[in-house]
């Protein structure tokens, strides 16, 4: 298989949320680019880009930076943080990433992993610990504080490694139907997890046997 | 997610299309005749001398709406596409598979012949009683002959060349009895064997026109899933030929084009007045005839049927896209074969 990307091509942080949810979904979006085929999402992205104008202002004593470019050489990831607040402390500023989400908090940890990856980048870039950040959900209008504990950091780094291996292989993992996950997946019609579990060879054979069976003769005349 | 988006067909000579806000506006003699929001459209197809404003061309390309220019007779002239999307790994897999095309060709050819055979069976079942005994016998023996051809290629290891031969043999038999399926009392509306470039009778003119529309839809479907429409399996590469689009359309031709042609003629929606004969014997649809066909085509595409492999309802118009998607999934290793579209 041809590698999908050069190894020094950093992985997009935004892809990690897909990789946590389902590696096949991440492969369909980031390797096969089927997502890009949907022009409604493309238009949505354009709108998002416009909203993502870089800037910086003071807010309640914290420096608030929007659309901040982030990267980690160690993990080979990069991306753009919606907002990073820099909280002034006795021994300097501490970064506090905030990611804005349209929906509401989810049962899986995809949003937390995306945020934690931003924190890992900020730690490498500022050489200072980033102990926590926040997810802001549009539907609940609530800020959810996310502590970057050892478990979340491990999950994030494991996800980066798994996704990196996937991109390097250029392969899309097979579909595995899991009702709870697949039903709420926006890519279900492109992934088709249930149909992909079938054998097309068997289907072709059965369809032909049925077409050639005497009772399938549609002319209604007796033999 | 994927919606059956409309295709806007513009056939009025001298019409002018322009962009206004997020709409496409059609004008004739400076009078607005139609207005469609861009987000409702999947493609715009224009026939002959239609003026299109440059801002509209740009907006269509950006929105991923294909613009196709056909000449007055419906022959392909050009298409305008936005940046090529899709995925290089899928295309590489397609090119590799095109070197070993046997199993994909088997799927395409068996489904095409099976679908042609069902068209004949249906005609016999529905109208066999009205046919002369000679015609009925001819159709029945063609159905049997097609069954033998199918058995020969479907359950054996015949290679692509043998299957290309079988496809031609089946098509010859099928078109040899196609005239028997016509029930128009009009003596001019007859089918005298397949003729192209130019079509030499009304039925050929109609079939050629429908095949052009179908080719365009299949080409769009291939491009939409990121496949290269020029690299085929059954059809060999030839510069300028959309071989993959032609491959994809084989299994749909009997159902989406041939049956529509039969019903337009047999229901007398098209009569000899809808065709014109040029010097030299080329037969073409008139502008009114083309409009009738395009309306019927759009209506047919909205009709829903159960997709045999996916086992879900889908409009006919989406089937080329679904088949292109299944082909892409096979090429990417998800499916052990390309499951073609069998019509029942």
């Amino acid at each position: 298989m041809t590698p999908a990307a050069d190894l020094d091509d950093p992985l997009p942080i935004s892809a990690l949320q897909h990789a946590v949810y389902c590696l096949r979904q991440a492969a369909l979006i980031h390797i096969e680019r089927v997502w890009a085929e949907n022009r409604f999402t493309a238009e949505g992205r354009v709108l998002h880009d416009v909203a993502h104008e870089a800037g910086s202002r003071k807010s309640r004593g914290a420096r608030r930076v929007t659309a901040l470019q982030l990267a980690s050489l160690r993990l080979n990831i990069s991306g753009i943080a919606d907002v990073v607040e820099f909280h002034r402390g006795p021994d300097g500023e501490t970064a506090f990433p905030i990611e804005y989400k349209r929906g509401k908090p989810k049962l899986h940890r995809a949003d937390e992993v995306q945020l934690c990856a931003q924190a890992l980048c900020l730690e490498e870039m500022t050489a200072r610990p980033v102990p926590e950040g926040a997810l802001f959900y549009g539907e609940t209008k609530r800020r959810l504080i996310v502590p970057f504990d050892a478990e979340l950091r491990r999950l994030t780094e494991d996800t980066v490694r798994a996704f990196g291996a996937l991109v390097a292989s250029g392969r899309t993992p097979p579909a595995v139907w899991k009702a709870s996950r697949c039903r709420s997946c926006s890519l279900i019609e492109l992934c088709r997890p249930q149909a992909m579990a079938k054998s097309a060879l068997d289907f072709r054979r059965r369809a032909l046997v049925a077409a050639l069976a005497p009772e399938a003769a549609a002319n209604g005349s007796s033999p | 997610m994927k919606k059956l988006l409309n295709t806007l067909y513009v056939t009025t000579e001298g019409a002018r299309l322009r962009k206004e806000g997020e709409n496409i506006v059609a004008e004739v003699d400076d009078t607005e005749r139609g207005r469609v929001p861009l987000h409702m459209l999947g493609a715009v197809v224009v026939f002959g001398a239609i003026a299109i404003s440059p801002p509209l061309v740009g907006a269509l390309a950006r929105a991923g709406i294909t613009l196709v220019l056909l000449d007055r007779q419906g022959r392909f002239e050009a298409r305008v596409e936005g940046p090529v999307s899709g995925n290089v790994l899928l295309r590489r897999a397609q090119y590799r598979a095109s070197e070993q095309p046997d199993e994909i060709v088997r799927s395409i050819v068996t489904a095409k012949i099976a679908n042609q055979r069902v068209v004949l069976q249906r005609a016999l079942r529905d109208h066999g009683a009205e046919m002369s005994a000679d015609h009925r016998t001819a159709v029945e023996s063609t159905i049997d002959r097609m069954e033998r051809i199918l058995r020969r290629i479907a359950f054996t290891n015949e290679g692509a060349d043998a299957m290309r031969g079988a496809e031609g043999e089946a098509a010859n038999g099928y078109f040899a009895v196609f005239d028997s399926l016509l029930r128009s009392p009009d003596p001019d509306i007859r089918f005298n064997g397949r003729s192209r470039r130019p079509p030499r009778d009304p039925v050929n003119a109609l079939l050629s026109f429908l095949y052009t529309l179908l080719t365009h839809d299949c080409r769009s479907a291939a491009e939409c899933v990121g496949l290269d429409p020029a690299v085929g399996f059954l059809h060999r590469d030839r510069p300028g030929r959309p071989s993959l689009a032609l491959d994809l359309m084989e299994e749909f031709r009997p159902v989406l084009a041939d049956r529509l042609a039969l019903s337009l003629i047999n229901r007398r929606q098209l009569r000899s007045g809808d065709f014109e004969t040029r010097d030299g014997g080329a037969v073409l649809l008139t502008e009114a005839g083309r409009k009738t066909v395009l309306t019927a085509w759009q209506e047919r595409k909205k009709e829903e049927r159960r997709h045999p492999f996916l086992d879900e309802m889908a409009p006919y118009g989406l089937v080329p896209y679904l088949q292109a998607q299944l082909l892409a999934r096979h090429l990417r290793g998800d499916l052990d074969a390309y499951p073609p579209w069998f019509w029942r």
Side-chain angles (χ1 to χ4, degrees):
Chain A
M1 252 319 164
T2 320
D6 296 328
L7 286 176
D8 38 28
D9 225 0
L11 304 169
I13 289 173
S14 56
L16 299 177
Q17 57 179 320
H18 305 126
V20 175
Y21 189 72
C22 167
L23 278 176
R24 179 172 165 90
Q25 190 202 54
L28 289 172
I29 296 170
H30 298 281
I31 297 175
E32 303 211 13
R33 307 273 163 176
V34 294
W35 185 256
E37 297 304 324
N38 180 335
R39 66 172 218 275
F40 297 106
T41 58
E43 282 164 13
R45 193 161 44 244
V46 170
L47 289 174
H48 200 225
D49 287 348
V50 174
H52 248 180
E53 272 184 46
S56 166
R57 67 189 175 91
K58 290 267 187 187
S59 166
R60 277 174 284 157
R63 206 157 53 84
R64 198 178 148 87
V65 182
T66 50
L68 183 62
Q69 290 263 10
L70 302 177
S72 161
L73 294 174
R74 177 176 70 87
L75 293 170
N76 190 33
I77 56 177
S78 75
I80 297 174
D82 286 339
V83 173
V84 180
E85 288 181 354
F86 289 91
H87 298 257
R88 182 166 289 285
D91 50 349
E93 285 185 331
T94 300
F96 183 89
I98 307 169
E99 180 67 18
Y100 285 73
K101 294 286 172 192
R102 258 174 236 278
K104 52 188 181 212
K106 301 164 188 87
L107 292 170
H108 53 76
R109 307 198 72 186
D111 293 343
E112 290 163 75
V113 164
Q114 187 185 358
L115 189 67
C116 182
Q118 296 178 3
L120 296 174
C121 292
L122 284 163
E123 287 184 341
E124 189 178 308
M125 292 162 73
T126 63
R128 286 176 56 89
V130 179
E132 56 180 25
L135 292 164
F136 183 87
Y137 286 99
E139 270 184 37
T140 57
K141 299 247 190 306
R142 284 278 153 91
R143 217 183 228 213
L144 190 75
I145 303 292
V146 179
F148 302 124
D149 58 24
E151 194 203 335
L152 180 57
R153 285 167 185 266
R154 195 162 48 241
L155 176 62
T156 304
E157 296 207 9
D158 287 351
T159 305
V160 170
R161 271 189 292 275
F163 180 62
L166 199 68
V167 170
S169 78
R171 292 210 175 98
T172 303
V176 179
W177 166 253
K178 194 168 135 195
S180 61
R181 185 184 59 185
C182 295
R183 284 213 182 98
S184 54
C185 176
S186 56
L187 253 59
I188 187 163
E189 286 180 32
L190 291 162
C191 171
R192 299 195 176 276
Q194 285 166 303
M196 292 311 121
K198 299 183 201 173
S199 164
L201 274 175
D202 283 353
F203 161 79
R204 192 176 76 189
R205 169 170 284 274
R206 274 186 282 110
L208 280 161
V209 167
L212 298 176
E215 59 267 33
N219 58 23
S221 62
S222 48
Chain B
M1 173 183 282
K2 175 75 181 174
K3 285 196 297 187
L4 177 59
L5 293 166
N6 292 315
T7 302
L8 175 68
Y9 296 98
V10 185
T11 57
T12 309
E13 294 263 326
R16 185 182 141 76
L17 302 178
R18 61 183 178 82
K19 177 177 180 285
E20 195 180 292
E22 289 305 303
N23 295 291
I24 176 167
V25 173
E27 290 172 343
V28 180
D29 299 332
D30 292 328
T31 310
E32 183 174 322
R33 291 285 189 83
R35 173 179 289 259
V36 192
L38 288 174
H39 69 84
M40 306 274 289
L41 292 176
V44 175
V45 179
V46 305
F47 292 77
I50 311 283
I52 310 160
S53 77
L56 177 62
V57 175
L60 293 174
R62 272 195 304 279
I65 301 169
T66 306
L67 172 62
V68 182
L69 311 185
L70 305 178
D71 73 6
R72 224 177 297 177
Q73 280 78 48
R75 273 190 300 261
F76 179 81
E77 282 189 327
R79 63 193 281 124
V80 179
E81 283 280 342
V84 175
S85 56
N87 132 37
V88 64
L89 299 176
L90 173 62
R91 289 192 178 210
R92 280 193 187 278
Q94 178 186 355
Y95 302 152
R96 277 195 303 273
S98 72
E99 307 285 331
Q100 299 286 335
D102 290 6
E103 280 311 308
I104 294 174
V105 172
R106 195 178 324 280
S107 286
I108 293 169
V109 172
T110 51
K112 178 187 186 179
I113 299 175
N115 291 345
Q116 285 175 327
R117 194 166 159 270
V118 180
V119 168
L120 298 184
Q121 287 175 324
R122 282 285 177 98
L124 210 53
R125 183 188 70 189
D126 296 343
H127 308 292
E130 302 151 42
M131 285 182 196
S132 71
D134 283 0
H135 284 171
R136 208 164 49 234
T137 311
V139 174
E140 280 167 356
S141 72
T142 304
I143 290 171
D144 291 345
R145 194 169 134 209
M146 292 174 101
E147 174 178 340
R148 286 196 298 278
I149 298 172
L150 268 178
R151 287 189 190 283
R152 197 172 78 218
I153 59 165
F155 305 116
T156 60
N157 286 325
E158 297 277 23
D161 281 330
M163 288 186 282
R164 288 184 186 107
E167 190 265 322
E169 193 187 334
N172 285 341
Y174 171 79
F175 282 119
V177 297
F178 199 74
D179 186 64
S180 309
L181 313 185
L182 299 172
R183 292 178 297 114
S184 168
D186 198 327
D188 291 334
I189 304 226
R190 296 266 55 113
F191 180 76
N192 308 308
R194 188 80 183 102
S195 57
R196 301 180 298 157
R197 297 192 197 112
R200 300 197 159 268
D201 61 45
V203 179
N204 273 292
L206 176 56
L207 287 176
S208 290
F209 186 69
L210 287 168
Y211 292 158
T212 302
L213 299 176
L214 188 55
T215 309
H216 155 65
D217 283 3
C218 289
R219 183 179 177 140
S220 296
E223 262 159 16
C224 201
V225 302
L227 290 164
D228 184 340
V231 175
F233 302 96
L234 172 65
H235 290 83
R236 295 192 186 84
D237 297 352
R238 191 185 293 167
R241 178 157 80 175
S243 296
L244 180 65
L246 300 176
D247 281 6
L248 271 178
M249 77 187 263
E250 291 294 357
E251 59 205 74
F252 313 132
R253 275 178 203 260
V255 182
L256 300 187
D258 304 351
R259 280 188 81 244
L260 184 59
L262 289 172
S263 73
L264 282 166
I265 288 165
N266 289 343
R267 290 183 191 153
R268 308 225 65 204
Q269 285 167 276
L270 286 178
R271 296 161 184 250
S272 47
D274 291 306
F275 299 90
E276 56 193 349
T277 306
R278 293 288 171 83
D279 290 330
V283 178
L284 303 166
L285 278 158
T286 62
E287 184 169 335
R290 277 206 314 262
K291 276 193 177 139
T292 305
V293 178
L294 289 169
T295 307
W297 173 254
Q298 297 274 61
E299 287 307 308
R300 179 61 55 95
K301 288 210 291 192
K302 288 184 202 148
E303 285 175 25
E304 294 213 339
R305 265 193 119 71
R306 186 156 288 278
H307 189 284
F309 183 75
L310 295 173
D311 199 26
E312 60 189 58
M313 296 301 284
Y316 277 128
L318 215 48
V319 172
Y321 169 78
L322 293 173
Q323 291 306 120
Q325 198 186 61
L326 289 170
L327 179 59
R329 297 293 2 136
H330 165 55
L331 293 171
R332 289 294 287 156
D334 279 349
L335 290 168
D336 57 358
Y338 164 60
W341 185 71
F342 288 100
W343 182 70
R344 302 292 320 255

